[in-house]
Amino acid sequence: MSNPTATEAPRLYHTLRCKNAESMIAWLKDVLGFRERVIYRRDDVVVHAELSFGSSILMLGADRPDAYGKRVGELEGRRTDSVYLAVDDPDALYAKMKASGAPIEMELYETDYGSRDFAARDPEGGLWSFGTYWPKVGEDPLPG
């Protein structure tokens, strides 16, 4: 495997399996501002979709009992994953999220490392955190 560089396209992509992929895609586009990159459907089922947010891509598909779905596991029960999305204006997004009816898990606050953050749930209960903290490869990390 070659050694990745800081200037190449991202290599890490978050993926989701959704009970209602069409609804999740609409929410991602309408509420968060994602753009549709590609959607592949088979028999009106979203088998793979890619949505972009700036230079980032989120991949998702409908929950189904295929080999990958069996490896990912059930959607019910305790989950250990969450998504963090760096945004320019968390206050405006927070207002939009509240207006959309998204459950707010953590109100807007200032972190001790200078980010303005909040957390909310997507239509399927997934946890999303939003903030101005935007680390970039090639930059020095914040002092710990």
Side-chain angles (χ1 to χ4, degrees), residues 14-144:
H14 196 82
T15 63
L16 302 171
R17 280 286 173 109
C18 305
K19 293 176 192 168
N20 186 333
E22 297 288 357
S23 176
M24 181 65 82
I25 290 167
W27 182 81
L28 288 163
K29 290 166 56 177
D30 297 344
V31 177
L32 298 184
F34 276 75
R35 290 202 162 103
E36 184 178 311
R37 187 169 181 278
V38 66
I39 298 179
Y40 299 104
R41 292 177 178 86
R42 187 177 313 120
D43 300 322
D44 292 326
V45 173
V46 175
V47 294
H48 179 82
E50 296 175 8
L51 290 99
S52 63
F53 189 88
S55 62
S56 300
I57 295 174
L58 175 70
M59 294 187 275
L60 66 90
D63 183 42
R64 54 196 187 281
D66 60 2
Y68 180 73
K70 290 175 184 171
R71 285 192 299 275
V72 170
E74 299 297 321
L75 295 178
E76 277 71 33
R78 183 175 185 276
R79 295 179 53 182
T80 60
D81 65 318
S82 68
V83 181
Y84 175 83
L85 185 64
V87 297
D88 295 327
D89 189 349
D91 292 80
L93 180 58
Y94 174 86
K96 191 171 187 180
M97 295 282 283
K98 292 251 325 178
S100 80
I104 303 298
E105 291 291 325
M106 187 180 314
E107 296 293 330
L108 278 163
Y109 74 103
E110 301 290 331
T111 69
D112 56 359
Y113 49 89
S115 184
R116 183 140 172 88
D117 290 9
F118 76 96
R121 299 257 174 208
D122 67 30
E124 297 199 0
L127 180 63
W128 289 68
S129 296
F130 307 93
T132 55
Y133 178 62
W134 188 3
K136 297 168 189 74
V137 174
E139 288 183 351
D140 289 335
L142 292 174

